[in-house]
Amino acid sequence: MSKKESNLKNMFIALLVITFIASASLGGIYELTKEPIAAAKLEKKNSAIRQVIPEFDNSPTDDIYKKAVNGDTLYFYPGTKGGEPVGTAVETFSNLGFSGEIKIMVGFLPDGTINDVAVLEHAETPGLGDKMERKKSDWSLQFQGKNPESFRLSVKKDGGDVDAITASTISSRAFCDAVERAYEAFRSINQNK
């Protein structure tokens, strides 16, 4: 067997074949994993809704409504029991995180009091900003039972009522920003009802 001479044409064909095989493999893997990833995200969202609002007997994801805010969208998941509202879960965001966007779910009782909060997505620094997650620390518990009418949703360093995560003031500010955004939208929608 003769050895092929290395020239531009042969290198181009080899690169083209390798690129085609790699892209076809990636496309195939994407198609195989697309639905399980979507199902996992939906389950995470449903779990967060169950965590942040009191027990309900409807399907909040079926009653979803949304509101455009700051070039993005907030999603509202109203929970009812026996036809009476028990709370609303608001999927909110902040682009002010140390490592970019933070997405959280905030649960409001009908009077606007924060029932609970849950982190959906973030890329904050492990061991520092990720302490906003309940499994990493109990930092987010300070929001439970607080009404933003009297509880200032900013860190104490900025004149607010929120204790910042140690060495993660930027992440704490972003979290407060997301909660404040959710509250303002929740309040404006409820005033228009």
Side-chain angles (χ1 to χ4, degrees):
M1 218 170 52
S2 68
K3 189 175 179 183
K4 292 229 177 201
E5 186 178 320
S6 182
N7 61 33
L8 183 60
K9 180 180 173 187
N10 289 343
M11 287 189 284
F12 179 76
I13 291 171
L15 187 59
L16 187 65
V17 169
I18 291 169
T19 305
F20 176 75
I21 291 171
S23 62
S25 298
L26 281 173
I29 291 169
Y30 171 76
E31 286 301 317
L32 289 173
T33 59
K34 180 171 55 172
E35 287 183 28
I37 290 171
K41 279 188 172 185
L42 180 61
E43 179 48 38
K44 185 173 185 176
K45 190 175 293 189
N46 285 331
S47 176
I49 293 169
R50 287 190 298 274
Q51 177 186 330
V52 301
I53 58 176
E55 189 177 329
F56 50 87
D57 60 12
N58 69 322
S59 176
T61 53
D62 291 342
D63 299 328
I64 185 174
Y65 55 96
K66 55 189 171 179
K67 178 178 173 86
V69 175
N70 296 6
D72 209 333
T73 305
L74 299 185
Y75 298 91
F76 297 78
Y77 304 92
T80 61
K81 189 165 188 173
E84 293 297 315
V86 294
T88 302
V90 181
E91 184 179 343
T92 183
F93 68 94
S94 175
N95 293 317
L96 303 177
F98 184 76
S99 299
E101 187 177 56
I102 293 172
K103 288 188 177 188
I104 63 173
M105 188 76 73
V106 183
F108 294 102
L109 300 176
D111 70 352
T113 300
I114 299 170
N115 188 59
D116 205 351
V117 293
V119 177
L120 297 174
E121 295 177 26
H122 73 86
E124 299 302 281
T125 308
L128 294 172
D130 72 342
K131 289 182 181 175
M132 68 179 68
E133 294 179 48
R134 184 81 37 89
K135 66 184 178 189
K136 305 277 179 154
S137 81
D138 59 0
W139 176 81
S140 65
L141 295 177
Q142 66 183 308
F143 293 89
Q144 289 181 350
K146 302 293 194 292
N147 191 315
E149 287 295 322
S150 57
F151 184 78
R152 292 173 303 209
L153 291 169
S154 56
V155 296
K156 288 184 177 178
K157 190 181 268 189
D158 298 336
D161 293 324
V162 177
D163 289 320
I165 299 169
T166 303
S168 292
T169 306
I170 294 172
S171 300
S172 303
R173 283 179 176 138
F175 194 95
C176 291
D177 176 59
V179 175
E180 178 75 26
R181 180 174 285 109
Y183 176 69
E184 292 301 325
F186 173 80
R187 190 175 70 166
S188 79
I189 285 175
N190 285 332
Q191 286 176 348
N192 295 332
K193 283 186 177 181

